[in-house]
Amino acid sequence: EPEVTQTPSHQVTQMGQEVILRCVPISNHLYFYWYRQILGQKVEFLVSFYNNEISEKSEIFDDQFSVERPDGSNFTLKIRSTKLEDSAMYFCASTGTAPKNTEAFFGQGTRLTVV
Amino acid sequence: GQQVMQIPQYQHVQEGEDFTTYCNSSTTLSNIQWYKQRPGGHPVFLIQLVKSGEVKKQKRLTFQFGEAKKNSSLHITATQTTDVGTYFCAAPRPGTGYSTLTFGKGTMLLVSP
């Protein structure tokens, strides 16, 4: 069964450092997303990406965040200068060829710990 | 912004008992999705409801979408220990043409054998 893969599974970084979280969406999917989940809390939308550009972003996705699709398979989330409150599980998701009313496939997540 | 309220926050049942979680929105939803997240895991899609009053079943799970498309429920009959996890409802963010989701806070289900 196709799946979304994320690397690394766990990243520890010092406050102020840059991190890049990587995702390989399902190969024929066209819509990509990043969500985050602070421990014990709900899943929160960060950003959606289609046709090589951001289609929507939430209030959380400020100037410290950026996304990129550097090649035909990877989708990355960069946090430029991490803060303690960025510690969370970050999930990448993708949806299929139709943007509306389709299930989201989530990756296993990257647990980011900022110390 | 859009709010999707979910109750209860937590429920602990004995194996074999039933379980229900409820999801409410102040706005009419185009559709609602349900996800399950096992402890330490990632959200896994369960189902999507689109039509007013829709009821769908998956084995012991029954999903309902309200007539006004503002509320939904997930009912599990005769819970098993494998049902343990957090159940989230999720609705598309309004005004978007994409599957960008607003999640409820989830209901954590614990099942004791």
Side-chain angles (χ1 to χ4, degrees):
Chain A
E1 185 176 314
E3 60 178 14
V4 175
T5 57
Q6 287 185 245
T7 55
S9 57
H10 191 183
Q11 172 123 28
V12 181
T13 188
Q14 289 208 323
M15 194 168 51
Q17 295 296 306
E18 174 184 286
V19 294
I20 298 176
L21 310 183
R22 302 180 192 280
C23 169
V24 179
I26 293 172
S27 61
N28 63 343
H29 282 187
L30 300 178
Y31 301 86
F32 315 122
Y33 311 85
W34 284 100
Y35 290 84
R36 79 169 186 193
Q37 185 178 34
I38 295 170
L39 187 63
Q41 298 188 23
K42 68 175 181 178
V43 178
E44 300 175 291
F45 166 72
L46 292 178
V47 65
S48 59
F49 192 88
Y50 168 70
N51 200 25
N52 283 320
E53 61 182 20
I54 291 174
S55 47
E56 190 189 358
K57 58 185 180 180
S58 73
E59 315 74 44
I60 303 169
F61 193 88
D62 61 22
D63 293 343
Q64 293 297 320
F65 292 89
S66 62
V67 289
E68 196 177 35
R69 187 149 164 86
D71 53 44
S73 59
N74 290 285
F75 179 50
T76 62
L77 174 68
K78 181 193 290 187
I79 309 175
R80 256 180 281 281
S81 177
T82 50
K83 309 188 228 7
L84 293 176
E85 54 265 37
D86 294 327
S87 295
M89 182 72 93
Y90 287 80
F91 291 108
C92 174
S94 67
T95 57
T97 54
K100 293 185 179 181
N101 301 333
T102 58
E103 70 176 277
F105 290 80
F106 284 79
Q108 303 279 353
T110 293
R111 180 168 297 285
L112 176 65
T113 304
V114 183
V115 297
Chain B
Q2 179 186 53
Q3 294 283 339
V4 177
M5 311 301 293
Q6 196 172 349
I7 57 168
Q9 188 175 342
Y10 172 82
Q11 186 145 13
H12 184 182
V13 301
Q14 293 292 318
E15 192 170 24
E17 292 181 338
D18 291 356
F19 160 78
T20 305
T21 172
Y22 301 90
C23 189
N24 290 285
S25 169
S26 57
T27 59
T28 302
L29 304 172
S30 59
N31 69 78
I32 195 156
Q33 299 179 12
W34 285 91
Y35 289 80
K36 177 182 178 182
Q37 184 177 29
R38 288 204 160 94
H42 61 285
V44 175
F45 176 83
L46 294 176
I47 209 156
Q48 177 176 272
L49 304 170
V50 180
K51 299 177 185 173
S52 167
E54 189 170 14
V55 177
K56 286 189 176 179
K57 292 194 174 186
Q58 289 179 352
K59 297 183 181 177
R60 295 177 293 104
L61 277 61
T62 301
F63 303 84
Q64 292 189 323
F65 201 11
E67 294 290 339
K69 300 181 74 173
K70 288 185 175 182
N71 60 284
S72 181
S73 64
L74 157 59
H75 179 81
I76 303 178
T77 305
T79 54
Q80 299 174 358
T81 54
T82 52
D83 295 326
V84 164
T86 300
Y87 293 84
F88 292 96
C89 61
R93 285 162 64 92
T96 72
Y98 305 95
S99 293
T100 304
L101 300 170
T102 297
F103 281 77
K105 289 190 174 182
T107 297
M108 182 185 295
L109 172 63
L110 183 60
V111 181
S112 295

